[in-house]
Amino acid sequence: MAFAMEISTMGQAMQLHARVLKSGPEDQTHAQNLSKLFTFSALSPSGDLTYARHILTNLQTPNSYYYNTMIRAYSDSPDPNRSLSLFLSMHCREEPVVPGPDKFTYPFVLKACSKLRHAQLGKQIHGLILKSGLMSDRYVNNALIHMYSGCADSGLALKVFDEMCDRDVVSWTSMIDGFVDNDRPIEAIGLFEQMMDNGVDPNEATLVSVLRACADTGALSIGQKVHNFVKERNLSKKANVGTALIDMYAKCGFIESAKKVFNETMDKDVYAWTAMVSGLASHGLSEEAMEHFEQMKSCNVKPDERTMTAVLSACRNAGWIGKGLYHLRSMKKYKLRPTIQHYGCIVDTFVRAGQLEEAEQFIRKMPIDPDVVLWRTLLWGCKIHGDVERSERLVKDVELLNMDSHDCGSYILLGNVYAASGNWKEKAKMRELMNQRGLVKTPGSSRIEIDGLVHEFTAGDSRHVEAENIYAKLDEMEQNVRREGYDPKISEVLLEIDDDEKASQLLNHSEKLAVSFGLIKTNPGTVIRVVKNLRSCEDCHSFMKLISKLYQREIIIRDRIRYHHFRGGECSCGDRW
């Protein structure tokens, strides 16, 4: 007897299960109905994984479909470890599962490895795939690319990609997305252009990924080309594409274009609103950011955790301590629990205002445990405001140097505090501790896009093909700003060398090289846009203000914290960053 019941709740699934059990295994519809209720229990949002596993456990001879479905369900669950455990039990059963692991098994096992960042097990699964003869399967290869990228090994992901004979848009997109996730956005853009040259049509996911790469590098012209493609294909109404465009324009320094895309977006979801609020906040347009936040609420769009981070960032960049505390407390109203990022914005606001005691007390009274980044923010404030005593006490009291043994940030900051006060002996101790632990400082780098190509510079970089012209222009720039009263802030160079060497080091900072190149390669009056991976130093900030005035250029520099719009000798941040 066939059962016509449609399943939409677990109650209905359990009713069907009772009927299946009563029908007996010899009934011709038994297998069909059992499969139906199992699939609902495992994969439906209204299902029950525990119930599905109970069904699987009680099957005498489960076939691959049951295992594959359960492995898939676990890979999407909050505990993907269960996916791996079930795969291992499937692989090691005394009575083999028929027909065994196949092209529907491995992609979800690899997805679990990716979510867990379990690279070693992922490589072992790769070995099993090779033995099973499935390396020609496109679906499996795409999953391998995704897994290696998720495990931060874009080199092996690229090897799989390069060896594929049959690629589809998912293959290209997975590789592009992997490059972006692993901080290789320039290669992501190059691969996207290669994909287009090969006549492969990008999908929405591809466009979102490449727009992320453009945002990371400041590659505005590539982003504009993608925008034109979006218009041609009438994809502007897609919420995820629109949000990516807003984010790209904001991060490339084109906040007016970001506003235009936002205003043209019809059904704005929380992600689009958040991208706009965040973009305005990062450009120092805190009043506008708060206006958009109020409009968002009036449209009955509920803020999420990222929205509140953007709101608190706007308060931080404007120096609004009271407003920041108010919005932090208001999160309860939206049933949101503040995270370490939200508390970090408040601490940073206190620190920028020079209220180090208030910042420290705020950290100590937080309802959640502070992390190393929060303490480091306070330590950075000690450096800026010359509070050596507090910084030494912090390192001792909270064991800051032992909180993250793989990161050199705390050592560098404390060393800088010592150096700023002239205590070179203690700074040398910090350097020695770093060497003992094998820690290396992240080098400062700056990127600038010229005619569709992204050029990257590091401090003192001489690798560029036009290095000679860049340094000649830089010398000219220095002479001009010195006539305007520029005096290198040699206190920023925290090395025990003479003043002339310090001034030379300051002149060779990466953003100065990028701006020098921009002045050479762009027409008078053109806006120069630079993306920097670290926070700008005080000397570079003063230097850029004078360059914007003398060369009558608007210079937009995005550092790790915010945007600086230099115009006519002033900066949009109001010298608060």
Side-chain angles (χ1 to χ4, degrees), residues 187-222:
E187 288 160 281
I189 291 170
L191 193 63
F192 173 72
E193 292 178 323
Q194 183 183 338
M195 171 185 172
M196 297 295 283
D197 289 342
N198 285 7
V200 180
D201 258 1
N203 60 20
E204 291 172 38
T206 321
L207 298 172
V208 170
S209 292
V210 76
L211 286 169
R212 285 175 58 214
C214 294
D216 287 349
T217 58
L220 177 63
S221 65
I222 303 297

Side-chain angles (χ1 to χ4, degrees), residues 34-247:
L34 187 64
S35 173
K36 181 179 180 180
L37 73 92
F38 174 75
T39 303
F40 175 84
S41 301
L43 301 181
S44 171
S46 304
D48 185 332
L49 274 179
T50 303
Y51 198 85
R53 184 62 184 265
H54 174 74
I55 294 172
L56 174 63
T57 303
N58 284 278
L59 287 173
Q60 290 186 350
T61 55
N63 59 29
S64 293
Y65 172 78
Y66 283 92
Y67 272 96
N68 291 347
T69 302
M70 203 72 221
I71 287 168
R72 173 185 173 184
Y74 279 143
S75 72
D76 288 324
S77 76
D79 186 10
N81 264 312
R82 292 186 176 187
S83 181
L84 302 178
S85 298
L86 187 59
F87 169 74
L88 292 175
S89 69
M90 174 189 187
H91 192 71
C92 300
R93 276 176 61 103
E94 289 184 12
E95 186 178 343
V97 177
V98 179
D102 55 24
K103 65 179 182 179
F104 300 109
T105 316
Y106 289 111
F108 293 108
V109 177
L110 291 168
K111 182 178 182 179
C113 291
S114 176
K115 290 176 75 171
L116 294 166
R117 293 185 174 273
H118 206 322
Q120 193 55 42
L121 184 56
K123 290 177 182 178
Q124 292 174 5
I125 303 297
H126 191 172
L128 291 175
I129 291 169
L130 285 167
K131 290 179 181 178
S132 65
L134 288 171
M135 280 307 296
S136 60
D137 186 86
R138 186 172 59 196
Y139 188 43
V140 172
N141 276 306
N142 290 344
L144 279 167
I145 294 169
H146 179 76
M147 182 275 293
Y148 280 124
S149 296
C151 293
D153 196 336
S154 49
L156 280 176
L158 184 60
K159 187 174 186 296
V160 173
F161 178 81
D162 285 340
E163 292 175 354
M164 286 179 70
C165 299
D166 179 26
R167 300 178 189 138
D168 61 3
V169 65
V170 176
S171 315
W172 289 90
T173 302
S174 297
M175 196 63 245
I176 291 167
D177 200 47
F179 274 144
V180 179
D181 285 341
N182 288 289
D183 197 27
R184 296 171 68 173
I186 296 175
E187 288 160 281
I189 291 170
L191 193 63
F192 173 72
E193 292 178 323
Q194 183 183 338
M195 171 185 172
M196 297 295 283
D197 289 342
N198 285 7
V200 180
D201 258 1
N203 60 20
E204 291 172 38
T206 321
L207 298 172
V208 170
S209 292
V210 76
L211 286 169
R212 285 175 58 214
C214 294
D216 287 349
T217 58
L220 177 63
S221 65
I222 303 297
Q224 288 172 324
K225 288 179 182 177
V226 173
H227 192 182
N228 289 334
F229 182 90
V230 167
K231 290 176 183 176
E232 290 170 6
R233 299 299 176 93
N234 198 28
L235 296 171
S236 301
K237 295 180 181 178
K238 300 289 185 180
N240 58 342
V241 177
T243 300
L245 283 167
I246 294 165
D247 188 58

Side-chain angles (χ1 to χ4, degrees), residues 248-259:
M248 182 276 295
Y249 278 122
K251 288 181 177 175
C252 287
F254 253 46
I255 194 65
E256 292 303 320
S257 293
K259 290 182 193 178

Side-chain angles (χ1 to χ4, degrees), residues 458 460-461 470-471 474 508-517:
T458 55
D461 206 336
I470 291 168
Y471 280 100
L474 195 55
N508 294 338
H509 277 189
S510 64
E511 60 263 58
K512 288 172 182 163
L513 295 174
V515 169
S516 172
F517 185 59

